[in-house]
Amino acid sequence: IGGWIAALSDLLVQSPLRLSAAGPVSASTGGAYAAGFESPVSHGRSVVVVAGADGPSLRAAVELMLTDETQSRRLQGSLALLRDGRIESLSDSKTYYVGSLGPYQTMAWFLSTQPILLFLLYLAAAVLIAIVLYLSLRARAHRRLGAGRSGTQ
């Protein structure tokens, strides 16, 4: 089992976890942490590590994640500290995505990163709707004017 722990610690040292905005994390405060990253062994697979300073702090952290919905929503990024009944996200390292989206969600995701293209699509849709409404109202007016002329003769 010692070899397995050494291999895991080597993977964590080489993992993409980087604390960019936070200071050093210490487990001496009785807290726990949750770390997530893409598996270095298998692309597209996730690794989630939940570790604590001791058994009670680990149990409290897991209960916090499972029972407190407000705090669970704060569990974001690749590293979060769980202590004193709070979840604090510490890392904003590079994000990776697993899974696939349907056609509508794929288009929405793409357009969410392209605001100028989204604006142009909205503009084109508005112009198209205006043209259809104009032609429709023009045809209606043409029919009304044509019906009025035939009734007076």
Side-chain angles (χ1 to χ4, degrees):
I1 194 162
W4 183 81
I5 292 174
L8 180 61
S9 75
D10 288 341
L11 286 176
L12 289 175
V13 169
Q14 297 171 1
S15 76
L17 296 176
R18 292 178 185 87
L19 293 175
S20 60
V25 177
S26 171
S28 63
T29 61
Y33 70 90
F37 52 93
E38 187 174 17
S39 171
V41 177
S42 179
H43 178 71
R45 304 283 304 236
S46 297
V47 176
V48 177
V49 176
V50 179
D54 53 15
S57 63
L58 184 58
R59 178 180 296 249
V62 171
E63 286 177 3
L64 176 67
M65 288 188 292
L66 294 177
T67 59
D68 192 343
E69 189 173 323
T70 305
Q71 288 298 318
S72 295
R73 288 187 191 140
R74 298 184 66 188
L75 187 60
Q76 300 177 15
S78 60
L79 183 62
L81 186 61
L82 300 92
R83 65 176 170 192
D84 301 327
R86 292 181 40 100
I87 296 177
E88 301 174 35
S89 292
L90 300 175
S91 179
D92 61 350
S93 63
K94 184 178 176 184
T95 305
Y96 73 97
Y97 306 98
V98 178
S100 61
L101 299 172
Y104 177 75
Q105 290 89 1
T106 301
M107 183 178 67
W109 180 259
F110 173 74
L111 291 175
S112 72
T113 61
Q114 306 292 328
I116 294 172
L117 181 60
L118 183 62
F119 173 75
L120 292 175
L121 283 175
Y122 277 139
L123 187 63
V127 168
L128 182 63
I129 289 171
I131 289 171
V132 168
L133 286 175
Y134 173 76
L135 293 176
S136 171
L137 291 173
R138 189 172 130 191
R140 189 176 199 186
H142 200 305
R143 281 194 307 262
R144 189 176 335 143
L145 291 175
R149 286 186 196 150
S150 63
T152 58
Q153 292 178 356

